[in-house]
Amino acid sequence: MKLHDFGLERFFARHEFAVKHLMCASDCESMTTEALLAFEPGSAELLLEQTLGYTETLGNPALRAAIAGLYTRVKPDQTLVFSGAQEPIFAFMNVVLEPGDGVVVHVPCYQSLHEVGRAVGAEVKPWVAREANGWQLDPDELPKLCTEKTKVLVINSPHNPTGAVVTGDRFDAIVKFCRARGLWLFSDEVYRGLEHDQVVKNAAACDVYEKAVSLGTTAKTYGLAGLRVGWIATQDLALIGRLAAFKDYLTICNSAPGELLATVALKHHEKLAARSRELVRANLTLFEAFARPHGINFVRPTGGSVLFAHRKGGERWCEELLHLRGVCFAPGRLFGGDPDHFRVGLGRTTFAAGLDAIR
Ligand SMILES: Cc1ncc(COP(=O)(O)O)c(C=O)c1O
């Protein structure tokens, strides 16, 4: 299996910890271990008492229960804990896809969502969300994209990099299509809980469709990327077993302190998500005021922590900002976009200072 370089992660490897103003991060502002433990009385003592042996491959039972608490239908044994959300993307595509299978992927996107399937030997077809359509997917395009070989449909909502949310009728139409064709629905929901308008909060795919996999992580909505805790939730117990067996060749099990801290976080998920949403909303307001006078346009995101802006010669402009001002936006081509587009991250407390540096 030969994977192409992960463009965005190579870009971050160069710039994330070197630039003065990181303006493209998709993970929301983090916190200290002490601040997280303060949410749960007695948890600091538990952390100090935590033994550091191997942990359970499926994940700590308390953590699996906390993950199940994020869904309406899924039970703890229908969850599987991984190291971040990246690992389960790799595991799922390897376990489910065979060379020659078809996979239809929501684009633009986070690269691994199409790259791993391609490297496994599957035929990947892009399902394009168009800017003219508010970056929304059109379910009427699905019959043309899917053949009898298609096995998996991949969607991401709230979406990276556009901040679009697949809501109501569109989401129902996608589920209906997958059910009629017997397709796996791999639903990347790592920004779930960051819908800007909580009224339109999406159902999780795993709660409404028996062949759906919902992907989650502590990294984005909860601002705890350094825990490296992610998961999948699915009603399909056989799939959980196959993924757990594949994980034996990856990380085997998670870090014990990471799982303990993730359990504390998910017990208080509403408060952590509200903190991130508030920050994203405030930064979006700042960016709206900033954008037009600087020749920047964008479709207003309705969820997630990022937006996909464009400006004539956007990539060149971003390169200049990086070199002259230490301001870092992520070029659109890293998500399959064109050279005018760039990703803006809205989840950090340093956002206003970055805009000032550009001014
Ligand atoms: C859409 C999407 N899926 C998955 C991931 C991977 O998340 P994690 O950092 O938890 O591995 C990311 C990270 O940026 C993402 O944007």
Side-chain angles (χ1 to χ4, degrees):
M1 168 185 210
K2 285 270 179 281
L3 288 158
H4 295 142
D5 273 2
F6 200 126
L8 178 69
E9 299 302 344
R10 287 295 87 211
F11 180 82
F12 273 130
R14 252 184 306 152
H15 301 301
E16 184 172 5
F17 299 102
V19 295
K20 200 159 171 209
H21 302 282
L22 186 68
M23 299 284 281
C24 55
S26 62
D27 54 321
C28 289
E29 189 72 27
S30 199
M31 61 178 71
T32 62
T33 308
E34 190 179 17
L36 176 61
L37 292 172
F39 279 88
E40 178 79 1
S43 60
E45 291 74 12
L46 286 181
L47 182 63
L48 291 177
E49 287 161 13
Q50 175 69 55
T51 54
L52 298 173
Y54 281 113
T55 61
E56 294 178 52
T57 292
L58 295 168
N60 182 307
L63 176 56
R64 296 177 80 200
I67 291 169
L70 301 173
Y71 304 100
T72 56
R73 185 172 173 149
V74 160
K75 302 281 177 291
D77 65 337
Q78 294 169 320
T79 68
L80 174 54
V81 183
F82 284 94
S83 291
Q86 186 76 283
E87 188 185 23
I89 295 172
F90 188 79
F92 175 87
M93 300 301 169
N94 272 278
V95 162
V96 168
L97 290 170
E98 303 287 341
D101 283 345
V103 49
V104 171
V105 183
H106 181 176
V107 299
C109 71
Y110 186 65
Q111 188 174 333
S112 51
L113 293 174
H114 65 75
E115 174 62 15
V116 181
R118 187 207 58 76
V120 166
E123 193 196 333
V124 180
K125 281 199 195 150
W127 186 16
V128 183
R130 295 183 181 81
E131 186 162 24
N133 203 15
W135 294 118
Q136 287 293 336
L137 291 168
D138 180 358
D140 290 342
E141 293 173 4
L142 281 174
K144 269 201 216 125
L145 288 170
C146 295
T147 67
E148 69 285 353
K149 292 199 166 166
T150 307
K151 208 186 229 178
V152 177
L153 176 62
V154 179
I155 59 170
N156 170 216
S157 172
H159 184 236
N160 172 15
T162 67
V165 181
V166 182
T167 49
D169 291 350
R170 278 178 216 272
F171 180 72
D172 295 346
I174 292 168
V175 170
K176 195 171 164 203
F177 183 86
C178 288
R179 184 173 278 126
R181 299 279 184 117
L183 303 183
W184 285 104
L185 176 58
F186 189 84
S187 179
D188 183 327
E189 298 167 6
V190 300
Y191 301 94
R192 189 162 175 257
L194 278 181
E195 295 81 2
H196 300 179
D197 175 1
Q198 278 296 282
V199 179
V200 295
K201 192 167 180 200
N202 252 8
C206 64
D207 280 331
V208 295
Y209 178 42
E210 52 291 350
K211 276 189 83 174
V213 173
S214 289
L215 181 70
T217 177
T218 58
K220 312 294 182 184
T221 308
Y222 309 114
L224 300 166
L227 295 184
R228 301 311 297 139
V229 171
W231 61 86
I232 57 115
T234 177
Q235 294 176 35
D236 193 306
L237 283 174
L239 179 68
I240 297 270
R242 289 165 72 200
L243 289 170
F246 191 80
K247 189 182 157 188
D248 293 340
Y249 283 99
L250 301 174
T251 54
I252 304 176
C253 64
N254 275 45
S255 127
E259 288 203 336
L260 188 146
L261 292 167
T263 308
V264 171
L266 293 188
K267 276 192 190 164
H268 298 276
H269 67 94
E270 285 291 1
K271 278 176 250 166
L272 293 178
R275 168 184 179 267
S276 298
R277 275 196 306 272
E278 205 174 302
L279 198 50
V280 167
R281 275 202 218 99
N283 286 336
L284 179 55
T285 304
L286 293 178
F287 194 70
E288 277 179 317
F290 171 90
R292 196 147 293 182
H294 287 84
I296 298 167
N297 286 296
F298 62 94
V299 175
R300 197 174 202 277
T302 53
S305 53
V306 293
L307 62 81
F308 211 34
H310 66 94
R311 183 186 194 275
K312 210 167 164 20
E315 184 159 351
R316 257 195 91 127
W317 185 66
C318 292
E319 268 168 31
E320 279 171 21
L321 287 179
L322 185 61
H323 296 301
L324 300 177
R325 305 283 164 97
V327 170
C328 184
F329 293 118
R333 66 182 156 72
L334 301 176
F335 310 88
D338 65 41
D340 285 347
H341 280 85
F342 54 96
R343 185 177 84 175
V344 180
L346 301 164
R348 299 292 181 88
T349 51
T350 50
F351 193 75
L355 294 183
D356 282 346
I358 302 171
R359 284 187 187 104

